[in-house]
Amino acid sequence: MVDEVRIQGLGVIDEAVLDLSPGFNVVTGETGAGKTMVVTSLGLLFGGRADPQRVRPGADRANIEGRLVVDPGGRVVERVEEAGGELDDGVLIVTRSVSAEGRSRAFLGGRAVPVSLLINLADDLVAVHGQSDQQRLLQAGRQRGALDRYAGNALTKPLRAYTAAYQRHRQVSALLEELTTRSRERSQEAELLRFGLEEIEKVDPKPGEDVELAAEEERLGHADALRGAATSSHEALLGDPAAAFEAANVVSLLGTARNALDAVRDHDPALAGLADRLAEAGYLVSDVGTELAAYAESIEADPGRLAIVQERRAELTALIRKHGVAVDDVLAWARDSAARLGELQGDDGRIEELRAEQAELSERLAAEAAELTAVRTRASERFSAAVTEELTALAMPHARVHVTVTPTGEYGPHGVDEVEVRLAPHPGSPPLPLHKGASGGELSRVMLAIEVVFAGADPVPTFVFDEVDAGVGGKAAVEIGRRLARLARNAQVIVVTHLPQVAAFADQHLLVEKSDDGTVTRSGVTALDREGRVRELSRMLAGLEDSELGRAHAEELLQLASEER
C-alpha cells in the first residue's frame, strides 16, 4: 500500500503531505484546491508523463516522494534489488522529480533508475484511473489477463496443457528449422567428408608408416655408400681376407697389446686388469666387425624397391598435406570424420521424426487452444453480465459491456485469442473499444465496475480513481460509494471526489484547503476526524459547513456508510 506521499511544487501545491491508510481513502476540497494534483502526483510516481506545465510557477522543479509498504519477499522487492535499490526499514521509497524545463529523474530505493522501471513496477503496485491517465485495462494483454484470472480454476488446467504443448512445439519447430535450413550446408559437408574418407581408404595408411618409409628411402638411396663404408670399416677392424698379405688391423693390434701384458700380468694386479680390458675390447671389436660384414652383405642397391617406396611416400604426403603433419594425424581425422558423417546421415531420420512430432503437436495445440477459447467465451459472458449489472447501479442503466473473444489463428504463449472489452453506452449504439465508446466520466465508472467485479482476482494492491463520480448524484452516488468500499475490502483505494455520498464511505478522509495566497501548504492537507468529516460533508451537501440541515444529512450519510461497511 501507499503509506505516504510528499508533494512539492506541483500545480497549486507548494508543499503537502498525504498520510494514507489501508482501505478506502477519499480526498475532497473546494474546486481548484488541488485535489486532482493528488492523482497527478501518484501518476508521476509510477512513471506517468512528465509535463513541465505541471510545475508550480516560480518553482525550479516538482518533487514527488512516496513511501510504499511492500511484501519483503515479493517480486517488487526483487526488481528493486536488481536495480541496486534497497528498502528503508521495510518501506520502499520512490522519488520522481520534474524540472521546469521538462527534465525528469526517478529514484527507487535510493538508486537512480530509468522512468521505464517505474512504469514496469506500476503493473504490480497501482492502477490509476484518471481523466488523462493511461488505463491498465485498456491494454489488450491486460484485458486478456483480466479475463483469464476471472475465469479462475476453470482455465488453469487447459492453460497449463496448452503452455506445455506450445513450448514443446516451439522447441521442435526451431530444431526442425535449423536442420532443414542447413540441409545444403550439411550435404556439402557430408560430401567433402566422404571424398576425404574414400581417399584415405584407397591409400590405406598404417600407423607410423611414413616414418618407416622415410628411413627405408634414405637407406636405399645411399646403398652403395653405406655398403662401402661398412666394408672399409670391417677391413679396418678385422682385415681383408682376400688381400695378398695380411695388413695390420685393429683386432691384430689389440691382440699384440694384450699378449704383451699377459706375459707380465702376474707381477702386478693393476696391469692384469688392463690386460683384461684389452681382451674385452678385442672381443667387442671382433663382434662389431662381424656385424659390419653382415650389414655390408645385406645392403643392395634396389632401384625398383626405391621407386616403390618413393611412390608410396608421395601418396602419404598428399594425405598428410590435407589432414595434418603425420600419418597418425590422417588416421585421427578419418576416425573423427567417420563419426561426424554418421551424425550428418542420421539428421535425415531426425528430420522425419521431428516433422511427425511437429504435426502431432500442431493437432494438440489446436485442440488445447479451442478449449481455451471455449472457457474464455463462457467466462466473458459471465464477466460481461456482471459488469453490466454494476453499471446499472452506477447511473449507466442503458450501458452494456461486451467482452469479445476472437481467435486469431496465430498461436502465442497464451493461446490464439484476442480479448477486448467493449462498451455500448446507449441502446442501439454499437459496442466499441473502451477508449472509443466511453467519455472520461463513463470510462472511470466502467473501470470501477470492472475492478469491483474483478476484486480479489487482480493482484494490484492500490487503486486510484479521479472523477469516477462525474455526472452522477443522488442514489447513484451512494452506489458508487458502496462499490468503492467493497473494492477497499481487498485493496487500498484512493478516490478524489466532490460527492458527499462517496466520501461518507471512506475509512480515511483527507481535506485539501488553499491558504490565503492561493497555495496548498503542508498544513493544507488534513486528515479529518468525525466532527471534521461532518463539517466537510455538510459543506459538500449544502455549501455551508455549519448548516443544521446539512449537518443532519451528513450525520445520516456517515451512519449509513458505517452500517454498510
Side-chain angles (χ1 to χ4, degrees), residues 417-489:
D417 302 321
E418 184 177 276
V419 177
E420 186 175 48
V421 181
R422 298 184 177 184
L423 175 68
H426 310 290
S429 60
L432 296 174
L434 287 180
H435 64 284
K436 295 181 180 179
S439 64
E442 289 174 333
L443 183 58
S444 292
R445 274 176 279 167
V446 171
M447 291 301 176
L448 173 58
I450 289 175
E451 299 294 8
V452 170
V453 170
F454 198 52
D458 196 331
V460 175
T462 298
F463 296 92
V464 182
F465 293 93
D466 183 23
E467 298 187 31
V468 69
D469 48 18
V472 300
K475 184 178 179 181
V478 174
E479 291 299 327
I480 290 177
R482 283 196 179 103
R483 277 147 182 79
L484 288 169
R486 185 188 307 172
L487 182 61
R489 294 172 187 170

Side-chain angles (χ1 to χ4, degrees), residues 389-424:
E389 183 179 351
E390 287 293 326
L391 289 178
T392 300
L394 294 175
M396 296 178 67
H398 303 297
R400 295 290 181 270
V401 168
H402 302 268
V403 180
T404 62
V405 180
T406 307
T408 63
E410 297 182 5
Y411 295 104
H414 307 285
V416 297
D417 302 321
E418 184 177 276
V419 177
E420 186 175 48
V421 181
R422 298 184 177 184
L423 175 68

Side-chain angles (χ1 to χ4, degrees), residues 278-505:
L278 283 173
E280 293 174 0
Y283 299 146
L284 178 60
V285 170
S286 179
D287 289 341
V288 172
T290 302
E291 291 182 10
L292 284 171
Y295 177 81
E297 288 291 331
S298 67
I299 292 296
E300 292 184 9
D302 188 346
R305 174 59 184 170
L306 179 59
I308 292 173
V309 169
Q310 289 175 336
E311 183 180 354
R312 179 64 175 175
R313 286 199 67 201
E315 293 176 343
L316 295 177
T317 300
L319 292 178
I320 292 171
R321 190 177 295 115
K322 293 180 180 180
H323 305 298
V325 296
V327 165
D328 289 347
D329 297 326
V330 175
L331 295 174
W333 182 90
R335 288 193 299 270
D336 295 341
S337 297
R340 174 59 179 162
L341 183 59
E343 294 175 2
L344 293 173
Q345 292 173 337
D347 280 350
D348 294 335
R350 179 65 172 151
I351 288 175
E352 293 304 317
E353 293 176 2
L354 289 173
R355 282 176 176 163
E357 185 178 2
Q358 185 185 49
E360 179 186 352
L361 287 168
S362 296
E363 294 180 1
R364 282 178 54 192
L365 271 180
E368 299 294 351
E371 177 63 18
L372 287 179
T373 300
V375 174
R376 284 177 176 142
T377 300
R378 292 192 294 269
S380 71
E381 293 171 356
R382 299 194 307 271
F383 191 70
S384 300
V387 175
T388 298
E389 183 179 351
E390 287 293 326
L391 289 178
T392 300
L394 294 175
M396 296 178 67
H398 303 297
R400 295 290 181 270
V401 168
H402 302 268
V403 180
T404 62
V405 180
T406 307
T408 63
E410 297 182 5
Y411 295 104
H414 307 285
V416 297
D417 302 321
E418 184 177 276
V419 177
E420 186 175 48
V421 181
R422 298 184 177 184
L423 175 68
H426 310 290
S429 60
L432 296 174
L434 287 180
H435 64 284
K436 295 181 180 179
S439 64
E442 289 174 333
L443 183 58
S444 292
R445 274 176 279 167
V446 171
M447 291 301 176
L448 173 58
I450 289 175
E451 299 294 8
V452 170
V453 170
F454 198 52
D458 196 331
V460 175
T462 298
F463 296 92
V464 182
F465 293 93
D466 183 23
E467 298 187 31
V468 69
D469 48 18
V472 300
K475 184 178 179 181
V478 174
E479 291 299 327
I480 290 177
R482 283 196 179 103
R483 277 147 182 79
L484 288 169
R486 185 188 307 172
L487 182 61
R489 294 172 187 170
N490 300 302
Q492 182 186 41
V493 177
I494 304 170
V495 177
V496 175
T497 184
H498 65 274
L499 292 182
Q501 296 93 330
V502 173
F505 282 87

Side-chain angles (χ1 to χ4, degrees), residues 63-145:
N63 293 299
I64 318 296
E65 179 183 290
R67 294 174 59 86
L68 282 66
V69 179
V70 296
D71 179 6
R75 184 169 57 179
V76 170
V77 173
E78 182 180 342
R79 299 283 299 279
V80 171
E81 291 175 346
E82 289 176 356
E86 57 185 16
L87 301 187
D88 181 11
D89 292 331
V91 174
L92 174 61
I93 298 178
V94 183
T95 305
R96 180 84 181 277
S97 67
V98 181
S99 71
E101 293 79 23
R103 292 189 298 272
S104 173
R105 299 186 66 188
F107 295 86
L108 186 66
R111 174 60 68 89
V113 297
V115 174
S116 59
L117 180 56
L118 298 185
I119 297 174
N120 291 335
L121 287 179
D123 288 342
D124 297 310
L125 292 173
V126 66
V128 179
H129 299 300
Q131 294 295 304
S132 59
D133 295 290
Q134 182 181 9
Q135 309 298 326
R136 289 170 59 254
L137 287 178
L138 292 183
Q139 303 170 16
R142 279 288 180 178
Q143 294 182 10
R144 192 266 314 149

Side-chain angles (χ1 to χ4, degrees), residues 106-340:
F107 295 86
L108 186 66
R111 174 60 68 89
V113 297
V115 174
S116 59
L117 180 56
L118 298 185
I119 297 174
N120 291 335
L121 287 179
D123 288 342
D124 297 310
L125 292 173
V126 66
V128 179
H129 299 300
Q131 294 295 304
S132 59
D133 295 290
Q134 182 181 9
Q135 309 298 326
R136 289 170 59 254
L137 287 178
L138 292 183
Q139 303 170 16
R142 279 288 180 178
Q143 294 182 10
R144 192 266 314 149
L147 181 62
D148 285 359
R149 286 193 294 275
Y150 180 79
N153 293 333
L155 191 74
T156 302
K157 184 176 180 180
L159 183 58
R160 186 183 299 118
Y162 172 86
T163 300
Y166 174 76
Q167 291 175 347
R168 180 56 185 166
H169 187 274
R170 288 192 64 187
Q171 293 172 352
V172 170
S173 298
L175 183 55
L176 188 58
E177 177 73 12
E178 179 183 359
L179 292 177
T180 53
T181 54
R182 292 183 55 231
S183 175
R184 176 175 296 180
E185 291 86 346
R186 291 186 303 106
S187 297
Q188 292 175 345
E189 183 184 357
E191 187 62 30
L192 288 174
L193 292 176
R194 289 192 195 95
F195 180 76
L197 289 171
E198 288 173 0
E199 277 189 325
I200 295 173
E201 183 179 4
K202 183 178 180 180
V203 175
D204 191 21
K206 301 297 186 293
E209 184 181 3
D210 54 332
V211 177
E212 295 175 1
L213 290 176
E216 185 178 1
E217 182 182 5
E218 187 72 13
R219 187 169 61 251
L220 290 172
H222 300 83
D224 292 337
L226 292 173
R227 184 171 60 251
T231 300
S232 298
S233 179
H234 171 267
E235 292 175 355
L237 295 179
L238 297 179
D240 183 4
F245 59 90
E246 184 175 351
N249 57 69
V250 174
V251 172
S252 63
L253 293 174
L254 286 174
T256 301
R258 187 189 66 182
N259 291 334
L261 296 180
D262 283 344
V264 295
R265 63 178 298 156
D266 294 338
H267 304 301
D268 188 349
L271 194 62
L274 293 174
D276 292 339
R277 291 172 64 185
L278 283 173
E280 293 174 0
Y283 299 146
L284 178 60
V285 170
S286 179
D287 289 341
V288 172
T290 302
E291 291 182 10
L292 284 171
Y295 177 81
E297 288 291 331
S298 67
I299 292 296
E300 292 184 9
D302 188 346
R305 174 59 184 170
L306 179 59
I308 292 173
V309 169
Q310 289 175 336
E311 183 180 354
R312 179 64 175 175
R313 286 199 67 201
E315 293 176 343
L316 295 177
T317 300
L319 292 178
I320 292 171
R321 190 177 295 115
K322 293 180 180 180
H323 305 298
V325 296
V327 165
D328 289 347
D329 297 326
V330 175
L331 295 174
W333 182 90
R335 288 193 299 270
D336 295 341
S337 297
R340 174 59 179 162

